[in-house]
Amino acid sequence: MKRCLISGWRGSTALALACATLLGAAGMADAAALRDKWCSKVHLRFFVGGAEGDAFGTIVYNGARQAAADTGAQVDYVFSGWANEKMTQQLREAVAAHPDGIAMMGHPGEAAILPLAQEAAKQGIRMMYQNVPVPAAVDKVGGGYIGAQQAPQGHALGVEMVRRFGLKSGDLAIVILASNDVIRNAREEGTAKALEEGGVKVVRLSSDPTWAADPNLAIPVVTAALQANPTAKAIVYPGGQQLGNAATYMKAAGKKPGEVINVGFDTSPQIVEAFKNGWVQLTADQQPFQQGYLPILSLCEQIVYGLAPINVDTGAGFVTPENYKAVADLAIEGLR
């Protein structure tokens, strides 16, 4: 609240006019600071990660579109089907197109991204990263990261599994690893290590990036793993696409709801339905809407206002059979 104090009566009229002028000027300054579509002159490229219609990518995309609508930024959206080589080539093309900023998924890994990030920096292109961290690029050329911290989130999920489901020494769990990239794989490896710390025997399986685009491709691997490990108490999936497909895997393996504990990451309409029908028991939420919204907001702030990059851990805790209804409507809308 702004106040202009007048002492005594002499010259009160002049002082009152001066106060009114000052307050008016302050009000005008406040109004001028609030700009509509303040980022409308900025051209960005945003990497969604998945293909159009992808369960996880759709939420990221919706967050990015909301940020573009709120700021007025001109945004070109890039869909990669979670294919790392394709994503790398698209980043190369994005740098060559010379936008003002790029919001990039970190899935291709540091070795692939760092040289292109350095080239972008030489050209004055600002970069942000989402979903998978790229610490070498951030350390060497700048930028921010919006997403869950992979290893801590994965480890916390494993600890919660042991606590919630009473897993004990000698129990067996299957953990499907995400990729061969150490940074991306840190999340699922963190879960596996936490389970092992609790005495649980862990069978690690490799996955294929194409499973994110079409989770049905994992049916033979999941069913074979359950047949080879009939005492498995739980299975951990590396992404929301596969977790949302848990009912399909379990039915193919001849399992009933709850017979095997299905655990993973993210929320989606498919995962909400799986909770409802008893196929999924636990997931770690990483708020992909923020992974779409905040990189665009940060790039706009950097380019228009010269502000520092935003860094946000989007890990938001656990969704369970007890609380999934709280996020169900938003998940169905493609917002959680």
Side-chain angles (χ1 to χ4, degrees):
M1 180 178 180
K2 299 179 180 66
R3 295 185 295 176
C4 189
L5 301 179
I6 302 174
S7 300
W9 61 272
R10 298 190 182 205
S12 59
T13 301
L15 285 172
L17 289 172
C19 282
T21 301
L22 287 171
L23 291 174
M28 290 174 62
D30 289 346
L34 303 176
R35 305 177 187 176
D36 187 33
K37 306 301 181 184
W38 52 277
C39 194
S40 61
K41 295 181 180 179
V42 173
H43 192 179
L44 307 174
R45 284 211 180 182
F46 184 92
F47 281 71
V48 178
E52 293 188 61
D54 168 84
F56 183 87
T58 294
I59 305 174
V60 176
Y61 178 50
N62 287 341
R65 288 197 306 153
Q66 185 65 62
D70 291 347
T71 63
Q74 305 170 55
V75 183
D76 297 325
Y77 301 99
V78 181
F79 297 89
S80 311
W82 304 112
N84 292 348
E85 292 182 3
K86 181 178 182 180
M87 210 179 292
T88 302
Q89 177 58 31
Q90 290 171 327
L91 177 58
R92 188 174 294 109
E93 294 167 359
V95 174
H98 206 282
D100 298 304
I102 299 172
M104 176 64 185
M105 288 280 176
H107 293 72
E110 292 184 314
I113 292 177
L114 179 56
L116 295 172
Q118 291 173 322
E119 179 60 30
K122 289 179 183 178
Q123 297 185 33
I125 302 171
R126 303 296 180 92
M127 289 196 67
M128 287 288 294
Y129 303 94
Q130 59 266 12
N131 194 254
V132 177
V134 191
V138 172
D139 290 344
K140 292 185 179 181
V141 297
Y145 172 63
I146 308 296
Q149 294 300 318
Q150 303 283 304
Q153 186 187 42
H155 190 273
L157 181 65
V159 171
E160 179 65 11
M161 287 177 65
V162 172
R163 185 196 70 80
R164 174 174 288 270
F165 305 119
L167 299 179
K168 59 186 183 300
S169 180
D171 286 343
L172 188 147
I174 297 169
V175 175
I176 303 176
L177 302 178
S179 70
N180 294 323
D181 179 72
V182 175
I183 293 175
R184 170 60 189 90
N185 221 28
R187 186 175 70 178
E188 288 70 25
E189 188 60 38
T191 303
K193 289 180 179 178
L195 290 170
E196 289 173 334
E197 290 166 2
V200 178
K201 179 182 178 181
V202 175
V203 174
R204 291 170 172 79
L205 297 180
S206 298
S207 66
D208 190 293
T210 59
W211 295 358
D214 183 0
N216 285 328
L217 295 174
I219 293 174
V221 174
V222 174
T223 54
L226 289 172
Q227 288 173 358
N229 301 278
T231 62
K233 293 287 186 70
I235 182 166
V236 180
Y237 302 93
Q241 298 90 335
Q242 291 98 305
L243 183 63
N245 211 38
T248 300
Y249 303 142
M250 294 300 104
K251 290 176 183 178
K255 303 294 184 180
K256 298 178 182 179
E259 189 174 347
V260 175
I261 299 165
N262 287 276
V263 176
F265 301 87
D266 311 328
T267 58
S268 70
Q270 294 84 358
I271 292 173
V272 166
E273 189 67 16
F275 269 118
K276 179 180 177 181
N277 294 319
W279 294 106
V280 169
Q281 285 70 41
L282 178 66
T283 186
D285 186 15
Q286 59 172 326
Q287 302 184 110
F289 187 89
Q290 288 190 332
Q291 296 178 19
Y293 194 99
L294 294 178
I296 288 179
L297 175 63
S298 182
L299 286 170
C300 283
E301 289 183 342
Q302 293 174 62
I303 295 163
V304 177
Y305 295 139
L307 300 180
I310 294 174
N311 289 278
V312 174
D313 181 352
T314 64
F318 305 114
V319 180
T320 70
E322 294 77 32
N323 68 13
Y324 81 90
K325 290 181 181 179
V327 301
D329 290 342
L330 291 174
I332 292 169
E333 289 184 61
L335 302 175
R336 282 292 295 269

